Amino acid sequence: RGDQMIKALAAVLKSVVSGSDFLGHRDSDDFLFVTSSDKAESIAEEICRRFDFIAPRFYTKEDASRGYVIGVGPKGIRRRIPLVSIS
């Protein structure tokens, strides 16, 4: 699932690149997006909006509607794990 999520993020990033923008992929989960200062905030907001729209698809309907995953840690301790997001 993690690989699919990274690929989805890459697709979102590619969808907002234009003109003189630069998108680089440094490591498995590190991206670099360079744009002009007058476009930076609106592009960042659009990236977040698009990713937030698709991110719930990587979870069960129950987890997505609840807004978190219930994980079981060491010694059987249950805890809430927030859904992935970007900012």
Side-chain angles (χ1 to χ4, degrees):
R1 245 181 218 179
D3 287 346
Q4 292 173 340
M5 204 173 290
I6 293 295
K7 288 178 183 177
L9 175 57
V12 166
L13 294 171
K14 287 178 186 178
S15 73
V16 298
V17 173
S18 66
S20 62
D21 296 338
F22 172 80
L23 173 61
H25 184 215
R26 205 181 103 196
D27 281 324
S28 62
D29 60 354
D30 291 328
F31 294 91
L32 175 67
F33 192 102
V34 181
T35 190
S36 62
S37 59
D38 61 314
K39 299 188 313 181
E41 190 169 341
S42 64
I43 289 175
E45 289 172 356
E46 184 64 13
I47 291 168
C48 291
R49 187 188 68 73
R50 291 183 187 194
F51 188 76
D52 287 347
F53 179 75
I54 62 170
R57 298 176 189 176
F58 295 98
Y59 298 94
T60 65
K61 287 182 181 183
E62 181 182 5
D63 290 341
S65 65
R66 189 174 47 230
Y68 59 87
V69 175
I70 298 173
V72 179
K75 300 180 183 178
I77 298 172
R78 296 167 50 113
R79 54 183 238 180
R80 294 178 181 185
I81 303 168
L83 303 181
V84 71
S85 66
I86 60 173
S87 57

